[in-house]
Amino acid sequence: QKREISNFDYLMYLNTLAGRSYNDYMQYPVFPWVLADYHSETLNLTNPHTFRDLSKPMGAQTVERKHKFIQRFNEVEKTEGDLSAQCHYCTHYSSAIIVASYLVRMEPFSQTFCSLQGGSFDVADRMFHSVKSTWESASRDNMSDVRELIPEFFYLPEFLTNANHFELGCMQDGTVLGDVQLPPWADGDPHKFILLHRQALESDYVSAHLHRWIDLIFGHKQHGSAAVEAVNTYHPYFYGDKMDLNNIKDPLIKSTILGFISNFGQIPKQV
């Protein structure tokens, strides 16, 4: 409010308080999608329609998608500790594979991604290749994709270029994967994309609405009745601090839960 700290620094501070760290792919710092405009020739940061709705999680960015997730929640009877537990989302907005997929064009993330994928790059059509198509998948098209962003989207142009000339494969439409496809307003320049994206994060609109996203990820809408109302509940295994693994005697169930958490991500500690 006093303009003494940037939105970026504030988010990094919250991530640190919530136990997120660059040293842990499974609990990597999580940042929000802030824009919804990946098609315009120029970016208008004074137009509210340019921005993502920060008061809603990625699963509720469109009315149709929101209703589908509410329907899923209502259809499953509450069964604690079961894989079919009542929740809106069975996937997470931040996980090791999401982090590695974003940074796959840079080492050591390339090797990390391959090791998570069983030794090779993923099918080309599933690789991170376009900012626009990733936004459309996470906000509208893919019911198993509710990913948010990582801090690098706001300061590191290098992760958007295939400077190491990795052979990432060829998509079904014939497109050979190389550099990440950028929105028209970036003019094909990763530095311009990062500059404008950072300006968007620090814009008046985001400054005025960012607290609503913080409520969802780090605050009171993270779990409980407020989370249900906000269409923001995840599988019980994602809430690491709510799971008392010491009381689980069955080693198979325990290893299943740990595998689930390591593969699919964890909710940050509530701040």
Side-chain angles (χ1 to χ4, degrees):
Q1 288 181 328
K2 294 180 179 178
R3 298 293 195 268
E4 291 176 3
I5 186 173
S6 68
N7 289 337
F8 182 91
D9 288 339
Y10 186 52
L11 286 171
M12 283 304 301
Y13 184 64
L14 286 175
N15 269 286
T16 303
L17 284 177
R20 314 297 284 191
S21 168
Y22 281 117
N23 298 321
D24 187 348
Y25 291 150
M26 291 178 284
Q27 296 192 79
Y28 209 74
V30 56
F31 268 59
W33 288 95
V34 293
L35 293 172
D37 182 356
Y38 298 96
H39 55 269
S40 297
E41 293 294 327
T42 55
L43 195 60
N44 183 359
L45 297 181
T46 61
N47 182 356
H49 295 295
T50 298
F51 297 92
R52 164 256 181 104
D53 187 342
L54 287 159
S55 69
K56 295 183 175 69
M58 289 304 291
Q61 290 297 308
T62 69
V63 175
E64 182 186 3
R65 185 165 147 106
K66 176 183 175 181
H67 287 319
K68 284 181 181 176
F69 282 120
I70 292 173
Q71 184 181 357
R72 172 192 285 177
F73 181 89
N74 292 333
E75 282 174 353
V76 180
E77 291 184 13
K78 194 166 188 179
T79 49
E80 281 294 333
D82 186 355
L83 283 171
S84 61
Q86 188 176 38
C87 60
H88 294 108
Y89 315 113
C90 295
T91 53
H92 200 251
Y93 48 76
S94 176
S95 66
I97 194 67
I98 289 172
V99 172
S101 69
Y102 280 144
L103 300 172
V104 70
R105 290 163 177 79
M106 296 174 61
E107 291 291 13
F109 304 98
S110 314
Q111 295 302 316
T112 301
F113 183 84
C114 287
S115 65
L116 289 170
Q117 283 294 128
S120 61
F121 290 120
D122 199 0
V123 175
D125 286 84
R126 290 201 299 255
M127 295 279 285
F128 171 52
H129 67 277
S130 159
V131 177
K132 178 175 180 281
S133 65
T134 303
W135 159 256
E136 289 172 349
S137 171
S139 67
R140 187 187 71 200
D141 297 339
N142 188 345
M143 289 291 284
S144 61
D145 183 3
V146 292
R147 74 184 67 188
E148 292 279 7
L149 299 182
I150 54 175
E152 284 82 352
F153 272 85
F154 300 94
Y155 68 82
L156 189 70
E158 285 78 10
F159 87 96
L160 297 164
T161 62
N162 188 20
N164 291 314
H165 306 292
F166 290 121
E167 292 186 9
L168 302 173
C170 183
M171 295 171 65
Q172 288 183 345
D173 64 4
T175 305
V176 177
L177 262 58
D179 297 346
V180 175
Q181 294 172 10
L182 302 174
W185 44 260
D187 295 328
D189 182 351
H191 289 83
K192 185 174 182 179
F193 172 83
I194 295 293
L195 175 68
L196 292 174
H197 206 216
R198 183 65 174 267
Q199 286 177 0
L201 178 66
E202 305 298 341
S203 66
D204 289 340
Y205 179 90
V206 172
S207 297
H209 295 87
L210 188 58
H211 64 286
R212 297 181 180 276
W213 182 83
I214 290 168
D215 286 343
L216 295 168
I217 307 299
F218 302 107
H220 77 289
K221 292 184 180 178
Q222 193 189 72
H223 55 78
S225 57
V228 174
E229 196 175 325
V231 195
N232 192 44
T233 65
Y234 296 82
H235 194 283
Y237 291 172
F238 293 147
Y239 298 86
D241 55 344
K242 301 282 183 289
M243 298 293 300
D244 189 358
L245 291 171
N246 294 325
N247 286 336
I248 298 173
K249 301 292 184 255
D250 189 324
L252 185 61
I253 294 175
K254 195 169 185 174
S255 65
T256 300
I257 293 173
L258 288 170
F260 202 91
I261 292 168
S262 65
N263 283 315
F264 296 107
Q266 296 175 60
I267 301 287
K269 290 177 185 172
Q270 194 174 30
V271 177

